[in-house]
Amino acid sequence: MRAPIFIAAAALSLSLLGVAPATAEGEAPTPSPDAQLTFLVELPHRGAALEKAAQAVSTPGNPQFREYMTIKQAAQQYGATDEQIANLRKVARDRDLRAEVDPTRLVARLTGSVDAWEKVMGQPVQFSPSQPGNPYNSYAFTRVDVPFPPVAGDPNMWAAYAVIEGVALAGVPAGLRGSITRIAPAFSQYVPADDVPAQNQSTAILPSPNSPIDAGHVTPRSLFFPGSNEQTPPTNAAAALMKNCIGPDAPVAPEGPLGTPTTLGSFVGHNQIAEVYGLTGLQRTQGKAASGRVAVFSLGGGFSEQDLADAAECFGFTKPKVNITLGTGMPSPFVNIDGEATLDVQTVSATLKNADAIHVIQVAQTPGAAPFIDGYTRALTLDPLPHSITNSYGNCEPLSANRGMYRTLESVFQFAAVMGVTSVVAAGDGGASTCQMLIAQNLLPLIERIEQIESELAAGQVPADQIANAQADIARFTEIVNILTPAVAFPRPTIAYPGSSPYVLSVGGTSIDLNADGTRRGEYVWNDLPYAGGAIANLVGTGGPSLSFDAPWYQRPVTRADVRSAPDVSAIAGIGPGLPIVQDGMIQISGGTSQSSPLVAAALALVSAQEARAGRPTVGFANPWLYDIARRHPNTMYDVTVGENLFPVPYAQGSTNIPACCQANSGYDQAS
């Protein structure tokens, strides 16, 4: 499965680079002045006190350990005051805006017309209409004071790339200062009629056979699967013990994600993973008790009820009722069948096994932090309250963390901890090269296009009256390549946010090797690059040091690091062999940290259900507890000691960037 990296406002980023397509009339589209836009804003709140409370309630040995609050109690204690809320409502009314204060009192949703917002923001809105394959009417107010273009080594380099990626949104306007502290002035309105498949666009960043980049410089350094010295995906030695319908008559995809023929041994059974991870008993005794206690964060993706029913029948779990909560700008559930949402929903359902219900929070694809804050705050208002929330989306950390309302998201994570909710986030699937990979997805097609035009010019295939245009294209694309190259060549490891947040459980990936009797022979860092043949990307579990956060209090005694390290734990993510899902009626191999995150979230929900049944508090923010166990009772943890997550990213002819990170070893490491 793909590794979802949230790339905001692609059309906007192309416009900033000067390559946006013109409309048929040659003019930019304009929105209706009466169209209603809703922007998320941060309210004044007791942030320092909230962070202190989140630490106290989550740390073993603290007198407040697991003494959780209700949402109303936490909002009254740490959110905006009645006076501050009354002031916001008055300021909003005076500007023809309506204020809806979230129950957390950390944020509010301000709604008004395009005309009203343009007056408040003091600039015209950037508008992109919905079209087939991009089903959103998108509106945004962007910053204009960020340095551009980026310069390698400049401290402002990533701020400039934030402009390119469309996440550098405007700040609080003068008319709202004092009543709010931050704003995410971007809004996407979902248009179901345009939610249809777009033209296929490859996101591969490893060279194809026809790539202008020398494939000989991209030889993966990663370890082969233990016991193998060939670039052949390993198989499940205990495939005969899987409890599912996979067989000669089942609708199985003929090829797996690695491009090799699918066999029975290409899969590992959900029952086998549950047994390896010690979940079988919890599924039997707590599966029903965990009904409605897991929320899946879904960014832009829908799923098929029929696929879920087929998966339940084939893999032997109860088909749960999926309760959908819609986010801002969502008039109806997503109509597409998305691989990410399908994977998340089926993994949670299969891991709980006997749950009657789960939750899915569907939010629109919007630049910046708005969809994350929107989804998480809505999850915290569900009844019953989720034991855990799983999120498989993220972005390059220095492009997002500590920028705009992403800082507000930290308060939301702390608020969840105070309420006893476990926030579980996929670490990512880009090794220690998350940001380099993200930018390379824009860089490499441009390099290929330049090579193609140059070849056509050299062969005399360009008409005489088009030569000047072709040369202008080369110059324009070369300028963009020069702008993007410093990020792809960035020498330090980079990881994804919000998986790097100190207040989430960051989940990395492993591959599992089973004995013929189904017991675990070994577990290794997930890295399928040796088996990928240089054809596809996103095949390595993300891990490494943060560029944005200091080491949290719970990590220092174990890691002795000065910065936040990810991941915190890991689970099966490998696709050779991989867990099965059903999508579009076909049984397929799944994988990635988009699988390990919902698996861990569901497993912790089972543990919390058991704790609740025994009259004890739920797990809540699990990191301090888990690190404390690892420090005091290391033998209770399965220690992954083999593998690495190096991820080579090509960026020029004969040049490949491989940030030096990370190798598995005894104890905590940044690979697993």
Side-chain angles (χ1 to χ4, degrees):
M1 302 299 294
R2 65 186 178 90
I5 296 293
F6 177 49
I7 306 174
L12 178 61
S13 66
L14 289 175
S15 176
L16 289 166
L17 289 172
V19 294
T23 63
E25 296 79 14
E27 297 180 357
T30 57
S32 166
D34 297 324
Q36 298 293 298
L37 316 182
T38 299
F39 296 149
L40 271 166
V41 299
E42 180 189 86
L43 299 177
H45 62 278
R46 300 180 61 212
L50 175 60
E51 183 172 14
K52 185 177 180 180
Q55 293 183 13
V57 77
S58 306
T59 304
N62 190 289
Q64 281 78 49
F65 181 52
R66 293 186 178 170
E67 291 188 358
Y68 302 130
M69 294 182 173
T70 65
I71 190 171
K72 184 175 181 180
Q73 290 170 332
Q76 290 288 343
Q77 185 71 23
Y78 305 110
T81 65
D82 291 342
E83 182 180 2
Q84 290 167 331
I85 291 174
N87 176 61
L88 171 64
R89 295 189 190 281
K90 179 181 184 305
V91 169
R93 283 196 303 271
D94 291 345
R95 288 154 183 79
D96 294 324
L97 305 176
R98 303 182 302 279
E100 178 190 353
V101 177
D102 188 80
T104 62
R105 292 193 172 208
L106 299 179
V107 297
R109 295 167 177 86
L110 294 186
T111 302
S113 67
V114 166
D115 185 57
W117 273 115
E118 288 184 335
K119 291 176 182 177
V120 170
M121 299 301 295
Q123 61 171 292
V125 70
Q126 294 193 33
F127 171 63
S128 177
S130 170
Q131 56 186 314
N134 184 21
Y136 298 99
N137 290 323
S138 299
Y139 309 78
F141 293 96
T142 60
R143 290 179 61 184
V144 294
D145 59 343
V146 176
F148 192 84
V151 177
D154 190 303
N156 293 315
M157 185 185 81
W158 288 110
Y161 284 114
V163 175
I164 295 174
E165 292 303 323
V167 294
L169 301 172
V172 177
L176 296 179
R177 289 174 191 162
S179 58
I180 64 173
T181 49
R182 293 190 179 98
I183 185 171
F187 172 71
S188 295
Q189 181 184 47
Y190 176 61
V191 181
D194 282 334
D195 196 359
V196 296
Q199 290 183 343
N200 183 38
Q201 296 179 343
S202 173
T203 58
I205 70 167
L206 296 181
S208 66
N210 298 321
S211 171
I213 296 173
D214 184 2
H217 289 267
V218 196
T219 302
R221 292 174 52 194
S222 307
L223 298 177
F224 291 110
F225 197 85
S228 171
N229 58 8
E230 298 179 356
Q231 289 188 327
T232 303
T235 57
N236 180 8
L241 301 181
M242 292 188 297
K243 296 179 180 178
N244 55 43
C245 70
I246 298 176
D249 298 326
V252 177
E255 287 188 353
L258 296 173
T260 55
T262 302
T263 67
L264 186 63
S266 302
F267 297 96
V268 60
H270 291 278
N271 64 301
Q272 294 177 308
I273 296 304
E275 189 66 29
V276 165
Y277 288 158
L279 298 176
T280 304
L282 284 171
Q283 290 173 333
R284 183 177 61 255
T285 61
Q286 307 302 328
K288 280 193 178 295
S291 295
R293 295 293 191 169
V294 179
V296 173
F297 180 93
S298 176
L299 178 59
F303 66 97
S304 162
E305 287 279 1
Q306 185 59 56
D307 283 344
L308 180 58
D310 291 345
E313 181 178 359
C314 181
F315 309 142
F317 61 85
T318 298
K319 178 188 179 298
K321 177 184 178 183
V322 181
N323 300 307
I324 297 177
T325 298
L326 299 178
T328 301
M330 292 291 301
S332 65
F334 293 117
V335 299
N336 69 73
I337 300 176
D338 173 65
E340 178 55 53
T342 297
L343 173 59
D344 290 347
V345 167
Q346 291 185 23
T347 300
V348 166
S349 302
T351 305
L352 295 175
K353 191 172 183 178
N354 294 310
D356 295 326
I358 64 172
H359 289 277
V360 172
I361 314 295
Q362 293 189 346
V363 295
Q365 291 185 358
T366 305
F372 291 102
I373 296 170
D374 189 38
Y376 276 100
T377 53
R378 292 182 188 278
L380 295 178
T381 65
L382 293 173
D383 185 17
L385 183 69
H387 293 327
S388 61
I389 304 169
T390 177
N391 171 23
S392 294
Y393 299 84
N395 201 350
C396 162
E397 185 191 56
L399 283 180
S400 49
N402 296 326
R403 298 191 186 280
M405 282 192 72
Y406 281 108
R407 288 176 286 182
T408 311
L409 187 56
E410 289 301 295
S411 290
V412 175
F413 288 141
Q414 294 158 12
F415 199 96
V418 168
M419 291 181 64
V421 177
T422 309
S423 299
V424 183
V425 181
D429 299 1
S433 309
T434 294
C435 300
Q436 293 90 333
M437 178 190 71
L438 174 67
I439 305 297
Q441 290 176 345
N442 293 320
L443 172 70
L444 298 187
L446 290 173
I447 294 177
E448 291 186 351
R449 181 60 180 144
I450 291 170
E451 290 283 333
Q452 180 184 359
I453 297 174
E454 290 178 339
S455 175
E456 292 172 352
L457 285 171
Q461 297 174 344
V462 180
D465 62 344
Q466 295 296 317
I467 290 177
N469 290 337
Q471 292 172 335
D473 284 343
I474 290 176
R476 183 161 55 104
F477 293 151
T478 299
E479 180 182 5
I480 299 170
V481 166
N482 292 336
I483 289 172
L484 298 179
T485 296
V488 184
F490 187 66
R492 297 175 60 184
T494 59
I495 57 178
Y497 180 83
S500 66
S501 167
Y503 289 92
V504 307
L505 182 67
S506 176
V507 183
T510 64
S511 292
I512 288 183
D513 186 15
L514 298 181
N515 293 309
D517 63 357
T519 57
R520 177 167 48 189
R521 178 186 175 194
E523 195 161 357
Y524 316 102
V525 175
W526 168 49
N527 191 333
D528 284 328
L529 278 179
Y531 320 115
I536 47 181
N538 301 350
L539 294 169
V540 184
T542 288
S546 169
L547 295 177
S548 303
F549 298 103
D550 293 332
W553 77 101
Y554 56 82
Q555 262 192 336
R556 289 193 187 101
V558 177
T559 65
R560 293 181 174 85
D562 295 329
V563 298
R564 163 72 161 138
S565 297
D568 297 303
V569 297
S570 291
I572 181 172
I575 54 180
L579 283 165
I581 62 169
V582 176
Q583 184 174 351
D584 298 324
M586 188 77 66
I587 300 172
Q588 304 179 20
I589 302 170
S590 67
T593 59
S594 297
Q595 174 180 273
S596 54
S597 175
L599 191 156
V600 169
L604 288 175
L606 291 172
V607 175
S608 284
Q610 179 174 261
E611 292 293 280
R613 178 168 290 184
R616 296 187 292 266
T618 56
V619 171
F621 176 47
N623 294 25
W625 171 58
L626 290 172
Y627 278 87
D628 184 62
I629 292 173
R631 180 179 60 84
R632 295 189 297 110
H633 306 289
N635 291 336
T636 62
M637 301 285 180
Y638 185 91
D639 191 5
V640 177
T641 60
V642 177
E644 59 184 31
N645 69 352
L646 297 184
F647 191 102
V649 182
Y651 62 91
Q653 184 70 34
S655 298
T656 301
N657 185 12
I658 309 179
C661 189
C662 301
Q663 177 74 49
N665 51 50
S666 297
Y668 178 86
D669 57 71
Q670 295 174 335
S672 65

